[in-house]
């Protein structure tokens, strides 16, 4: 008797039910869609906006910074892949740490990375608004920020299909402009358009410039440049590609984005003509100045416009989607108000999306002109969550499941923990103080929920873990 093969989508739904939940979010995201979503979240053209800053900090070796970042973050991506395969839930580190270590620790992991996820959209809106004012002087920054918030809210509320379509359109535009930049750069280098510009190995490795402190400084910049690939894990309950799809998409996206970063910054560094650094008046738009010198002011304006739209819409839209899924998951487990786990007719967490939009719209009014402060807070939340993620891999696989795969389940998370710990230890004071204040607020919320009986209990043998939260998403 022949049996029809089981589909990955059906298997994933059954795994979700075995974890104690029913399928509420729409399963229509393929592995390719996850990959595209991750690429959009990390932004293949991200170096454009910060090229001058990274150039000055790295002694002109910007490609080396991103190569170091790839090597450093691959350990965290591998840890994510292991947990996403075993626990295919939308809550990211909240779910992974809660089931890997303990639900109480999971709350603080979720609360910490919530600081990252809640502030990332705001940071992107501030970035985009600043750039729009550069294109349209005399216009209020807050108006542009609100316009971007409204656009992204409408797309997210329209459902996952709308997000997939927008992601593909924006990714195509970004990749097209990367190709255009490569053509412009190669043409300029071959034609001698930019005085002193030549393609050498120096931007990737210059023995006379490389030093321990420089690499350590570059490590901090590099790790923070790749934040966003973890957002793929928040789409686990909407994936149709099986339990390995999120992990594969995360690692692949990280490698592709790193390759784009290295290629673009290598060429841009060559076009910098061997200068030691960019001045304060040009560091913010260094990349676009280079494009103008290698081609024309028209192309420079086009690149600036693409950067604004990519950051303010594509990147922020992906961040908003990830944040709403994290809020949905924590609410479903009764760690946040129940209203955030409600799903609309298009099978998306409507209230969570609206909350993210509202918070972003309010915060942009306070954080306009304070990019450094909001960036530092974003970094603390992500790095603290990553450290707990690495610990959860060790506890779940080595301690509980007695795994003998010491490479993936011990060596990788230990190295990842040390790298992320080093970066967090060397974070600026504002990041540490702001992060600790956020954790203290989380402690207050945690104590309140415990006192009112809203606690998450885990049961099971680790392979089929259920969450005892009556009436909250149970099958």
């Amino acid at each position: 008797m022949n049996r029809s093969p089981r589909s990955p989508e059906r298997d994933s739904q059954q795994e979700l039910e075995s974890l104690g939940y029913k399928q509420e979010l729409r399963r229509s995201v393929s592995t390719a869609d996850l990959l595209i979503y991750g690429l959009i979240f990390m932004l293949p053209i991200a170096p454009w906006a910060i090229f001058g800053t990274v150039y000055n900090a790295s002694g002109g070796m910007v490609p080396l910074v991103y190569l170091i970042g790839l090597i450093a973050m691959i350990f965290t991506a591998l840890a994510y892949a292991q947990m996403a395969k075993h626990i295919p839930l939308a809550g990211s580190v909240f779910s992974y740490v809660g089931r890997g270590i303990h639900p109480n620790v999971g709350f603080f992991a979720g609360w910490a990375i919530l600081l990252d996820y809640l502030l990332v959209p705001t940071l992107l809106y501030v970035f985009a608004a600043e750039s729009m004012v550069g294109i349209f002087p005399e216009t209020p920054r807050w108006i542009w920020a609100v316009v971007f918030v409204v656009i992204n809210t409408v797309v997210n509320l329209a459902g996952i299909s709308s997000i997939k379509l927008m992601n593909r359109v924006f990714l195509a535009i970004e990749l097209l402009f990367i190709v255009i930049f490569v053509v412009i750069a190669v043409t300029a280098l071959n034609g001698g358009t930019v005085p002193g510009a030549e393609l050498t190995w120096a931007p990737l490795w210059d023995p006379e410039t490389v030093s321990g402190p420089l690499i350590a400084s570059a490590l901090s910049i590099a790790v923070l440049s790749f934040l966003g690939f973890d957002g793929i894990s928040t789409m686990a309950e909407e994936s149709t590609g099986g339990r390995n799809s999120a992990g594969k998409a995360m690692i692949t996206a990280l490698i592709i984005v790193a390759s784009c970063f290295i290629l673009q910054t290598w060429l841009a560094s060559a076009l910098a003509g061997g200068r030691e650094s960019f001045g304060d008046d040009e560091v913010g738009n260094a990349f676009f100045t280079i494009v103008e010198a290698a081609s024309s002011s028209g192309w420079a304006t086009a690149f600036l416009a693409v950067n604004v739209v990519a950051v303010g819409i594509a990147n922020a839209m992906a961040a908003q989607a990830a944040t709403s899924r994290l809020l949905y998951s924590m609410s479903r487990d009764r760690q946040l108000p129940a209203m955030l786990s409600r799903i609309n007719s298009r099978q998306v967490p409507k209230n969570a999306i609206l909350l993210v939009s509202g918070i972003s719209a309010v915060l942009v009014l306070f954080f306009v002109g304070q990019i450094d402060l909001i960036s530092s807070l974003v970094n603390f939340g992500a790095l603290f969550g990553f450290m707990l993620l690495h610990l959860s891999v060790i506890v779940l696989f080595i301690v509980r499941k007695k795994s003998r795969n010491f490479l993936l389940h011990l060596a990788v998370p230990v190295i990842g923990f040390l790298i992320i710990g080093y970066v967090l230890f060397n974070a600026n004071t504002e990041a540490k103080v702001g992060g600790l204040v956020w954790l203290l607020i989380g402690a207050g919320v945690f104590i309140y929920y415990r006192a009112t009986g809203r606690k998450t209990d885990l049961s099971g043998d680790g392979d089929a873990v259920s969450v005892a939260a009556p009436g909250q998403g149970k099958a």
Side-chain angles (χ1 to χ4, degrees), residues 236-251:
E237 291 181 33
E238 292 156 272
S239 170
T240 61
R243 62 192 304 171
N244 293 327
S245 59
K248 291 178 181 177
M250 277 188 272
I251 295 172

Side-chain angles (χ1 to χ4, degrees), residues 373-438:
L373 173 59
I374 191 171
S375 296
S376 65
L377 295 174
V378 167
N379 297 337
F380 180 93
L383 296 174
F384 189 85
F386 288 171
M387 290 181 69
L388 291 179
L389 168 77
H390 286 296
L391 290 178
S392 71
V393 174
I394 297 172
V395 173
L396 177 62
F397 290 101
I398 297 297
V399 177
R400 293 185 178 178
K401 300 179 70 66
K402 310 300 180 184
S403 170
R404 291 297 175 263
N405 188 343
F406 295 115
L407 176 61
L408 280 178
H409 299 152
L410 184 60
V412 165
V414 166
I415 295 173
F417 180 89
L418 293 175
I419 290 173
I420 299 302
Y422 172 82
V423 176
L424 184 58
F425 179 78
N426 288 282
N428 61 42
T429 302
E430 288 180 336
K432 295 175 183 176
V433 172
L436 290 175
V437 169
W438 177 255

Side-chain angles (χ1 to χ4, degrees), residues 241 309 333 364 375 384:
V309 174
D333 282 347
V364 292
S375 296
F384 189 85

Side-chain angles (χ1 to χ4, degrees), residues 94 103 107 111 329-337 445-446 449 454-456:
F94 165 69
F107 170 84
W111 184 263
S329 183
M330 293 186 72
S331 170
R332 182 177 58 182
D333 282 347
R334 303 179 70 192
Q335 301 302 292
L336 290 175
V445 173
F446 176 80
Y449 277 154
R454 291 192 244 180
K455 59 182 180 178
T456 303

Side-chain angles (χ1 to χ4, degrees), residues 48-49 51-52 181 184 193-194 268 271-272 275 278-301 303-304:
W48 294 4
F51 176 77
F181 173 69
I184 289 175
T193 304
V194 180
L271 292 172
R275 67 166 71 201
F278 290 94
D280 292 340
D281 60 336
E282 57 184 350
V283 66
N285 291 309
F287 180 86
F288 307 105
T289 301
I290 285 174
V291 171
E292 182 176 1
S295 55
S296 67
S297 59
W299 275 118
T301 302
F303 274 78
L304 181 60

